Amino acid sequence: MRKPLPGGYQSTGVFEWNGRVTMPAPTAGDGTEQALTVSMRTQRPGGSDGSGRGSGSTREAVLRLGPAGWLYKDWEGIVYPRDKPKGFDPLPYIADFFDTVEINSSFYGPPVAKTTTSWVRRVKDHHHFRFTAKLWKRFTHERDKAWTRAEVNQVRAGFDVMMDAGKLGAVLLQFPWSFKRTEENREWLGDVVRTFNAYPLVVEVRHTSWLAPEFLSSLEEEGVGFVNIDQPRFHHSIGPSTHVTSHVGYIRVHGRNYKDWFRDKATVEQRYNYLYKPDELEPWVERAKEMATTLGTSDVFVITNNHYKGKAVANALMMKSMLTGERVPAPSGVFAAYGNVVADYVLPTEEMVETGAD
């Protein structure tokens, strides 16, 4: 059993418990501009099941697709023009094509309020757009000692800006394959959930030990989303699924680079160097549509994490096309690099640029 958390954070037991935490009310996007919607029946908060998903009223689930991250040197000349005009800003540029982007940098350190304020301001004209953000790895990967109140406040300072602006669609608690369903790890997860329950949380676990019915039930009871993943399958790795355990549905596709996924010396670029073929993406499009019809779901995020050389952008655009049934605009560099795979799904555009970056 871990020692009490410093700074006033006392562990209250393992995850899969009977107590409840207060989750924020679902905040569905307005569905304007590029947002994809699926008509559905939902349930009013405070229903008889106690999960905030009671009996029903009609609304629309918003399907939001986009890549993980937007600042990569290897995107130059593919996603972004190699010769950029003065004032080029990659964030609103990528928001012209997608309804969401997952913030990767927050995993390595919590963004300060000045940074998140800038992000919000730079997409203010994209009313449909929502960020999702990884939680700092201090809470998911560095588990040798309890965190402090100061570390929690660091996270909140940046995330609260996006939350208050209505631009934070989900906070991702991403745990590694080695994080198995033990009593200690269930306790750790429960502490993290209770600490950050002011945000719409989604949990990514990669080991099959977590696929216990009682774990999924606890997520639903507490309003925490389950992240459905596509990853190279290896000993007890979780496979494709369509679990929806909160008002936020979430899918992450990591690529299928079996050669490098578990190789100790593989770089991040090598692990995520994979371009999905259409027949590999089509089942995930069907899963996303199925998830969007789940009672109580307001948003379904589909994130492509195979980011090396813009492959995540190519695949996210392909999935968007599969959902709409139409070819969609794409950066001309993406078409030039991956035209043999994306040609039936995208239309290359002239370089669209935004100026006025902070």
Side-chain angles (χ1 to χ4, degrees):
M1 188 69 65
R2 262 193 347 274
K3 296 179 181 179
L5 301 175
Y9 289 98
Q10 171 68 53
S11 175
T12 54
V14 298
F15 196 80
E16 298 163 33
W17 70 100
N18 293 324
R20 306 190 60 76
V21 296
T22 302
M23 294 298 295
T27 53
D30 56 16
T32 59
E33 299 182 49
Q34 302 177 50
L36 307 170
T37 58
V38 175
S39 182
M40 57 177 283
R41 296 286 294 177
T42 65
Q43 302 176 335
R44 293 193 184 101
S48 59
D49 66 354
S51 65
R53 303 169 79 176
S55 63
S57 60
T58 302
R59 67 184 301 170
E60 293 182 330
V62 182
L63 284 157
R64 304 182 187 277
L65 296 91
W70 71 90
L71 283 177
Y72 300 101
K73 186 66 177 176
D74 54 60
W75 283 20
E76 303 296 326
I78 300 175
V79 178
Y80 304 128
R82 193 172 298 279
D83 298 319
K84 302 178 187 64
K86 184 178 179 180
F88 176 81
D89 188 348
L91 180 53
Y93 178 90
I94 207 71
D96 283 337
F97 295 99
F98 299 110
D99 307 312
T100 190
V101 68
E102 184 182 271
I103 300 169
N104 269 334
S105 58
S106 55
F107 176 76
Y108 300 99
V112 299
K114 181 179 180 180
T115 298
T116 54
T117 298
S118 171
W119 291 341
V120 167
R121 182 168 58 249
R122 288 152 62 190
V123 296
K124 68 181 188 305
D125 295 329
H126 295 79
H127 305 294
H128 62 286
F129 187 87
R130 301 291 181 272
F131 292 101
T132 68
K134 288 183 183 178
L135 185 64
W136 184 14
K137 64 180 180 179
R138 174 67 186 86
F139 297 91
T140 57
H141 287 61
E142 298 171 2
R143 304 185 304 275
D144 56 329
K145 62 180 180 179
W147 61 78
T148 66
R149 182 181 296 274
E151 290 170 328
V152 172
N153 290 340
Q154 281 183 269
V155 172
R156 289 176 173 167
F159 283 5
D160 283 354
V161 172
M162 295 185 289
M163 190 73 177
D164 292 344
K167 288 296 187 182
L168 184 59
V171 171
L172 169 65
L173 317 182
Q174 176 194 286
F175 290 92
W177 178 89
S178 59
F179 186 73
K180 301 173 184 178
R181 186 173 163 267
T182 64
E183 181 174 352
E184 181 180 10
N185 286 343
R186 288 162 57 200
E187 181 182 351
W188 183 276
L189 175 57
D191 291 339
V192 175
V193 165
R194 296 181 191 93
T195 299
F196 294 105
N197 63 58
Y199 307 115
L201 302 178
V202 295
V203 174
E204 177 176 345
V205 286
R206 298 181 178 180
H207 192 274
T208 54
S209 59
W210 291 99
L211 294 180
E214 55 268 36
F215 172 66
L216 296 173
S217 295
S218 293
L219 290 177
E220 185 167 4
E221 289 171 4
E222 304 307 325
V224 177
F226 180 90
V227 179
N228 303 273
I229 58 176
D230 191 84
Q231 64 175 340
R233 300 290 299 279
F234 193 67
H235 299 301
H236 302 291
S237 297
I238 288 179
S241 58
T242 55
H243 299 301
V244 180
T245 56
S246 77
H247 68 274
V248 177
Y250 213 95
I251 291 172
R252 300 183 84 215
V253 296
H254 295 291
R256 299 178 181 178
N257 191 341
Y258 289 87
K259 177 183 176 182
D260 293 318
W261 188 251
F262 287 100
R263 186 164 63 86
D264 289 340
K265 295 183 179 181
T267 64
V268 171
E269 291 78 11
Q270 288 172 324
R271 286 194 175 95
Y272 293 98
N273 183 14
Y274 188 85
L275 182 67
Y276 284 93
K277 300 177 179 63
D279 62 349
E280 295 173 321
L281 294 177
E282 287 166 355
W284 279 110
V285 170
E286 294 305 311
R287 292 183 186 106
K289 291 193 290 187
E290 177 184 340
M291 290 167 63
T293 62
T294 302
L295 293 177
T297 308
S298 60
D299 297 85
V300 175
F301 292 89
V302 182
I303 304 297
T304 50
N305 195 30
N306 52 327
H307 51 75
Y308 183 60
K309 291 193 173 181
K311 293 179 173 68
V313 171
N315 284 151
L317 289 169
M318 290 169 64
M319 297 177 81
K320 182 177 177 181
S321 173
M322 292 173 186
L323 283 166
T324 63
E326 301 176 349
R327 294 172 75 187
V328 299
S332 58
V334 170
F335 189 88
Y338 306 118
N340 60 321
V341 175
V342 305
D344 291 339
Y345 303 95
V346 306
L347 292 168
T349 64
E350 295 296 324
E351 299 295 358
M352 298 181 294
V353 299
E354 297 272 357
T355 59
D358 295 326

